[in-house]
Amino acid sequence: SVGGLSVSVERREVLVNGNPISLTFKEFELLVFLLEGRGRVLSRDRILREVWDYDFDGENRTVDVHIRTLRQKLGDCGYLIETVRGVGYKIDIQL
């Protein structure tokens, strides 16, 4: 849990301010990966490798598109996912 966001991996459940939200399989995996790396900046390449099991050298916007959709679905808690320009994303450990 962080802020108003609660995630149960065992139940594959995400709550925002106590209300359940529906995520796709990859959105859920992405959120869990960001939470597991809490406090660390996770590069787009690392996210692609770990969440999508995909190694890619070059321009790929898959991660950015999924982050944008995930932020929208998280609503009031979307701010928890921070963009680190030119590097990747993180969920701050101080939140």
Side-chain angles (χ1 to χ4, degrees):
S1 294
V2 60
L5 175 67
S6 297
V7 177
S8 171
V9 175
E10 297 80 26
R11 292 188 304 246
R12 294 195 68 83
E13 179 179 72
V14 178
L15 301 174
V16 173
N17 299 321
N19 298 312
I21 62 165
S22 178
L23 298 179
T24 66
F25 181 81
K26 284 299 180 189
E27 290 166 348
F28 184 84
E29 295 296 312
L30 175 58
L31 181 58
V32 168
F33 186 67
L34 289 170
L35 286 168
E36 288 173 346
R38 211 165 127 183
R40 294 182 311 215
V41 178
L42 301 169
S43 71
R44 287 173 180 85
D45 290 341
R46 183 165 178 205
I47 293 170
L48 274 172
R49 279 193 314 273
E50 300 295 327
V51 176
W52 276 267
D53 195 25
Y54 185 64
D55 208 3
F56 182 78
D57 289 330
E59 188 66 28
N60 189 322
R61 306 311 290 180
T62 299
V63 174
D64 300 323
V65 170
H66 277 78
I67 291 285
R68 183 173 53 243
T69 304
L70 185 55
R71 282 180 175 146
Q72 290 171 350
K73 288 185 176 184
L74 293 178
D76 292 344
C77 290
Y79 76 93
L80 294 170
I81 303 172
E82 295 182 43
T83 300
V84 179
R85 193 173 283 305
V87 181
Y89 300 95
K90 74 174 184 171
I91 292 182
D92 198 337
I93 200 162
Q94 303 299 320
L95 299 173

